[in-house]
Each structure stands twice: as C-alpha cells, then as structure tokens.
Amino acid sequence: MTPSELSEALSSALAAAVADGTLALPTDAVPASVHVERPRQREHGDWATNVALQLAKKAGTTPRALAEDLAARLAVHPGIQAVEVAGPGFLNITLDAASAGELARTIVETGADYGKGASEAGKKVNLEFVSANPTGPIHIGGVRWAAVGDSLARVLEASGAEVTREYYFNDHGAQIDRFARSLLARARGEQAPEDGYGGQYIAEIADAVVADALAAGEPDPRTLPDAEAQEAFRARGVQRMFGEIKQSLHDFGVDFAVYFHEDSLHESGAVDHAVDRLRQEGHVFDADGAVWLRTTDFGDDKDRVVIKSDGQAAYIAGDIAYYLDKRERGFDDVIIMLGADHHGYIGRMMAVCAAFGDEPNENLQILIGQMVNLVKDGQPVRMSKRAGNVLTIDDLVDAVGVDAARYSLARSSADQNIDLDLDLLASQKNENPVYYVQYAHSRTCAVDRNAADRGVRREDGFDPALLDHPTESALLGRLNEFPRVVAQAAQLREPHRVARYLEALAGEYHTWYQQKDRRVLPYPDESVTDTHRARLWLNDAVRQVLANGLDLLGVTAPERM
C-alpha cells in the first residue's frame, strides 16, 4: 500500500463516517486526501496522521473520539495490519507484510518513472543559474550553482514542470572592457591594467586571438590602433572565453537551452519597452533629469534610477527588462540563482516584480548561494594553477571527478557555507558520501549478477508477504518515501533533500544486506525458494530508486566499483 492509497483509505473512512451520521461534518469539509508521514520511531508503525486533531473541532467531537472511530474503520481495510490511537488523537498505522512488500513490485515495474509526480505540472519555469561573466573560467561558487541548478531543474522536471535552463551572458559593461584591455596588454607584452584580469588563461586567450586573426587572413590585432585593437580582442576574446565556459559546463553535465545576451536588451529596445510599461502602470517618475522607478511603494528601501540624467541606462534597467522579457516569453515562474554577495538585489527585484503586477517569491524567486571552501591535506586551497587567485570548475573536476564534485556540491542546502575535503572526496571510504551511495548501487547490481548465476529470477514469482523482517520493513518504508522527497525538493527548491535521502536509503540497504538470514543468494547446497526471489525483488527496487535519485543529481549509478 502506497502513501497515496493509504491517504485515500483515510479519506474514504471519513466520508463513510459522515454518510452514516457518526461524524457531524459537512460533506465538502471531508479532505480529498489526508496527509500521512513516517513516524519518528519505527515502533510506532509504518505511517502516522494527525487528521483527527485537524477535523475534530469542526465535527463537534474530541480528537481522540474521532481517531478511535477512524481506527476501527481502517482496521478492517485490506492491507492494514493494525491501527493504534496515540496521545490526544494521533493515528499510528502498521501495514501487513504483503501490502508493504507490494511496493517492491511497483518500483521495479515503474522503473525510471518511480518518484516522478505532478506537483509542478502545468508550470513553465525559467531557471537561470551560473551566468558567470565571460571574463574568466567559472570559479568555485559558480560551480556550486552549476551542480545545484541543474539538479533543481531535474527535480522540477520530475515533478511535472516544463523547465528552460537559461544562462545570462553578460556581454555589456565595464568588465568586458577591462577584459579586452587585459588581453591587449598581455599580447603586446605590456603591464596589465590596474583594474584588469590576471592569470595564465589571459595569456592563453590573448595568444589564441592573435592566432585566430592571422589564420583568418586578418591583420595582427596587436598592430592595430588602440581602439580597433581593443575591439578585436574584445570580440574574439569573449567568444573564446565563453566557448571555454560552455565546454567546461558541458563536461560537468550541464547544458543550457538558452544563452541570453545582455546586449540584446539594449539593442532590441527591451529596456524602453519595460520602462514604458511601468510608466503606464504609474510607477515611473522623472526627477533631476533622470527616470526613476518608485520601488519604495513595494517595500524597497529607496527608489531606483532606471535611466540616468546622461541618458544612459542604469544597471537595474537591464534587470527590469530581462524579467519582463522572461514573463512575456510565457514563463510562470522565474527562478534566479545568485551568489552570496547579491542579498541587496532581492528587495529591489521583488519590488520590480510587484510593480509589473506579479507575485513576489512566486512569479519571481531568487535563491542565494553561499561560499564553498576547498581543503586538501587539512589546509585551505586558495590558488588555481591557471586562473591565479580563483579556483575553477576544472580545478575541482581534476581533483575529484565530475560525480564527486556534483554530488558534494548538491548535497548541502545552498544557503549554507560548505567545506569540501578533496582528499575525502577522492577516496573510496564510507565517509565519502558519493562513494557510499554509488557503492550501494553497485552492490545491488552485483547481487543481481550473482542471482542470475545461481538461478534466482524475479520472473519465477513474487510473494511480498515473505518480506517480513524488521530490516525489510525499514527498507520498504524508506523506498516509499522517495516520491514525497522528490516533490518536496521541487516545492522548496532544495535538491539537496534527494542526496540526503539517498544516503539514508544506502544505509538501510547496507544494514539489510549484512543480515546473514536475509540472503538473496542460496547457499551452494540450498535450493532456490520463493524467499530468495522476494528478496531479489526488494534488492532490485533499491537499485532502481538509487539510480533514479542519482540521475536527479546528474550523478552516474555505476554497476561495478
């Protein structure tokens, strides 16, 4: 019996109590579904609900009296072994072994779709993440957003949403000019600008710009007048740098459907369109020769200049136009992932959202990620061989590999600082969380292979009632939670919940596997029995859920380790 089936049974029991007059509750007050959850302590049963406490007052009765009536009705329901009323009116429900064990069949037959749901169905989501400036390799903070952002996209898709991964390509502004001047100075053998960029990658890209120009039969860009030379290095340099960024992300398992160029907002008239729209809504005013947005009407700490007195667009102008552009492209939810230094950005953008008539924190959601620190040999790692004073995506992948990097960055809440121990993540120890989970999957695969060699086959039958050991009950209970965990991770925008679930599932599996009387494989002098086959079904259900969960994090599920 699944949680949804149990929920339906509870709802039916309530409806029956109303129909026979036992419960004085309006028919439309009977919930279509009743929330059930796993008790904190296993001895309290498989599932628990506080529905009696929620409805008793409306029904003119006490929670305990209502709970006792529901317990009597549920006790005769097929698949339910026992129902206990606890405390003021909690219901603790224990399923019979056969009912609980049927979940193994459901998971195996559902396959890769187990865990998917419809909690986000019908939503078009624009998910913008990473969006590092094309002035250098992606630093470690951006790598965290690559792992978390892509995992969140996968979780949302598994929950029914239509997700567009988008990268905001910041090719407009002073940082691009500094990048171009840095490349030109390096190519000419001159001192780098005081506010410029350093690192070996600047020399590599500068050399590539010169080589590309010469290969195309163009003049050596180093010999051009300063303005022309800077433009040549800007155009080719940005293209080169962004090509490297895209390749690094692709190698990390992250690809974007849309690469949105900031320049297009200014060239297409999108900024003027957004300002005109807000002026029509009465939220724009002119003062001191500038155009202002009255964001204080929507909770911001001060009004914001949108068009400066010299006629140039202020920085927020692009943000306003970009948000409106996404909404006009048909996205219901706009999710933006930003670094720890962008907290001040939230209030003004939520005010912009409200000024357009949208719902802050719903139509626009801003997630802030905290810092990542790398540790090796017990000491902080602060320098990159290629990028100088920042650590990059390639540094992390070179140290621990894509799987360990993605998993370790996605397994913690994004709003927490994290320390990554490179020695631990490169090791094959149970203390290494990605190894612990992947090893559990590879162990299930090894059991499968050995079962085939010993003649244990699922297709020869399945008696779920044979999964009656406490470790099997615990394992089935954990497997039952997976769809709820995925839905909750999507709702709260917290994909780390999937990783923590997988670690708990791996722990339950290892505990079950180590029980000598729970063997899937018969001893050499033992015949294959229904019990062996039932355990193989459970083994394969765990394998499927581990694989499904790892896929949501963009991490491989190896069959051998």
Side-chain angles (χ1 to χ4, degrees), residues 403-427:
D403 280 348
R406 284 192 63 131
Y407 189 95
S408 60
L409 289 168
R411 74 181 290 266
S412 296
S413 176
D415 61 5
Q416 296 177 350
N417 290 334
I418 55 174
D419 295 324
L420 298 186
D421 186 329
L422 298 181
D423 297 314
L424 176 63
L425 292 176
S427 71

Side-chain angles (χ1 to χ4, degrees), residues 30-349:
V30 176
S33 63
V34 175
H35 177 69
V36 295
E37 60 186 14
R38 301 290 292 180
R40 292 181 182 273
Q41 296 174 286
R42 286 292 300 137
E43 59 267 25
H44 290 169
D46 296 310
W47 298 100
T49 180
N50 64 349
V51 67
L53 283 80
Q54 295 174 339
L55 296 179
K57 187 174 181 180
K58 292 180 183 178
T61 186
T62 66
R64 189 163 183 94
L66 176 52
E68 288 173 348
D69 180 75
L70 288 174
R73 295 174 189 273
L74 287 174
V76 297
H77 195 284
I80 294 179
Q81 177 178 310
V83 185
E84 176 189 354
V85 178
F90 293 98
L91 284 172
N92 293 330
I93 303 164
T94 301
L95 305 181
D96 65 36
S99 178
E102 272 295 336
L103 178 66
R105 189 200 311 270
T106 298
I107 293 171
V108 171
E109 293 181 348
T110 306
D113 287 335
Y114 182 72
K116 293 182 179 179
S119 60
E120 302 289 321
K123 288 185 180 179
K124 289 188 65 177
V125 178
N126 182 284
L127 181 58
E128 179 199 336
F129 59 106
V130 184
S131 295
N133 289 336
T135 55
I138 298 175
H139 61 73
I140 196 68
V143 187
R144 184 178 195 178
W145 274 143
V148 174
D150 189 61
S151 297
L152 177 56
R154 291 165 181 255
V155 166
L156 288 169
E157 288 167 341
S159 300
E162 179 184 339
V163 181
T164 295
R165 295 164 175 79
E166 186 152 316
Y167 190 114
Y168 187 53
F169 184 15
N170 191 341
D171 54 355
H172 180 91
Q175 80 282 351
I176 298 296
D177 293 335
R178 293 198 300 273
F179 179 61
R181 285 189 280 108
S182 301
L183 293 174
L184 176 57
R186 189 61 178 259
R188 287 177 170 175
E190 299 171 355
Q191 188 71 27
E194 187 174 336
D195 60 350
Y197 296 92
Q200 180 59 32
Y201 78 95
I202 290 291
E204 294 172 3
I205 292 176
D207 291 344
V209 168
V210 173
D212 289 347
L214 295 177
E218 298 173 3
D220 187 332
R222 295 171 293 187
T223 65
L224 297 173
D226 287 353
E228 293 181 39
Q230 184 172 324
E231 174 56 27
F233 277 91
R234 186 202 68 79
R236 289 188 182 276
V238 167
Q239 183 180 24
R240 271 272 177 180
M241 188 72 257
F242 198 57
E244 287 193 16
I245 289 172
K246 285 202 270 189
Q247 186 62 51
S248 293
L249 287 168
H250 176 75
D251 294 342
F252 198 61
V254 180
D255 293 291
F256 292 85
V258 176
Y259 292 94
F260 192 99
H261 290 252
E262 183 185 8
D263 255 347
S264 68
L265 293 170
H266 301 273
E267 295 171 357
S268 67
V271 170
D272 293 336
H273 169 61
V275 172
D276 288 345
R277 166 83 177 272
L278 290 170
R279 191 182 291 277
Q280 291 168 13
E281 299 289 340
H283 304 312
V284 165
F285 65 95
D286 300 308
D288 303 323
V291 177
W292 297 71
L293 176 61
R294 194 176 285 107
T295 53
T296 52
D297 285 353
F298 304 100
D300 196 9
D301 58 345
K302 62 182 180 180
D303 293 330
R304 304 288 173 174
V305 173
V306 180
I307 306 297
K308 295 182 285 189
S309 57
D310 63 2
Q312 295 296 309
Y315 187 81
I316 195 175
D319 295 331
I320 293 170
Y322 189 31
Y323 173 72
L324 180 60
D325 178 84
K326 289 179 178 180
R327 291 288 282 137
E328 290 184 338
R329 278 189 270 152
F331 293 106
D332 304 300
D333 293 352
V334 173
I335 304 175
I336 305 174
M337 295 181 157
L338 298 172
D341 57 343
H342 284 76
H343 273 286
Y345 183 85
I346 298 176
R348 73 192 70 166
M349 283 308 298

Side-chain angles (χ1 to χ4, degrees), residues 283-551:
H283 304 312
V284 165
F285 65 95
D286 300 308
D288 303 323
V291 177
W292 297 71
L293 176 61
R294 194 176 285 107
T295 53
T296 52
D297 285 353
F298 304 100
D300 196 9
D301 58 345
K302 62 182 180 180
D303 293 330
R304 304 288 173 174
V305 173
V306 180
I307 306 297
K308 295 182 285 189
S309 57
D310 63 2
Q312 295 296 309
Y315 187 81
I316 195 175
D319 295 331
I320 293 170
Y322 189 31
Y323 173 72
L324 180 60
D325 178 84
K326 289 179 178 180
R327 291 288 282 137
E328 290 184 338
R329 278 189 270 152
F331 293 106
D332 304 300
D333 293 352
V334 173
I335 304 175
I336 305 174
M337 295 181 157
L338 298 172
D341 57 343
H342 284 76
H343 273 286
Y345 183 85
I346 298 176
R348 73 192 70 166
M349 283 308 298
M350 290 305 170
V352 167
C353 171
F356 281 120
D358 288 343
E359 187 68 33
N361 300 309
E362 184 172 322
N363 297 116
L364 175 62
Q365 302 162 39
I366 297 177
L367 308 181
I368 299 292
Q370 295 300 322
M371 300 296 292
V372 179
N373 302 305
L374 300 186
V375 177
K376 184 171 178 58
D377 299 325
Q379 299 297 319
V381 181
R382 303 189 186 281
M383 301 291 287
S384 169
K385 293 179 181 179
R386 183 167 183 259
N389 62 348
V390 295
L391 291 162
T392 71
I393 185 171
D394 297 321
D395 295 325
L396 181 58
V397 170
D398 287 346
V400 301
V402 171
D403 280 348
R406 284 192 63 131
Y407 189 95
S408 60
L409 289 168
R411 74 181 290 266
S412 296
S413 176
D415 61 5
Q416 296 177 350
N417 290 334
I418 55 174
D419 295 324
L420 298 186
D421 186 329
L422 298 181
D423 297 314
L424 176 63
L425 292 176
S427 71
Q428 293 191 346
K429 299 178 179 178
N430 284 340
E431 293 78 13
N432 177 358
V434 66
Y435 172 78
Y436 187 66
V437 174
Q438 287 184 317
Y439 179 67
H441 182 268
S442 69
R443 176 174 267 181
T444 65
C445 295
V447 169
D448 251 359
R449 290 191 297 270
N450 292 331
D453 292 342
R454 299 281 186 91
V456 183
R457 303 185 307 171
R458 287 200 320 261
E459 54 266 35
D460 289 341
F462 176 45
D463 183 354
L466 297 172
L467 299 176
D468 56 0
H469 191 269
T471 59
E472 290 161 346
S473 175
L475 195 48
L476 287 162
R478 188 73 66 181
L479 292 169
N480 223 336
E481 292 177 358
F482 185 57
R484 178 188 60 80
V485 170
V486 176
Q488 191 173 56
Q491 177 191 1
L492 299 176
R493 309 324 193 212
E494 294 181 344
H496 72 272
R497 292 174 178 271
V498 175
R500 297 307 174 124
Y501 166 83
L502 292 176
E503 290 164 34
L505 175 60
E508 300 274 15
Y509 177 75
H510 290 312
T511 298
W512 173 70
Y513 179 87
Q514 290 162 6
Q515 303 296 313
K516 292 183 179 179
D517 61 344
R518 296 290 105 185
R519 289 173 55 86
V520 174
L521 308 178
Y523 288 104
D525 58 349
E526 186 182 9
S527 299
V528 175
T529 67
D530 289 342
T531 301
H532 296 120
R533 284 187 282 271
R535 293 171 188 163
L536 180 61
W537 277 88
L538 180 57
N539 176 84
D540 290 359
V542 174
R543 181 190 65 185
Q544 187 65 62
V545 173
L546 288 170
N548 292 358
L550 286 168
D551 184 66

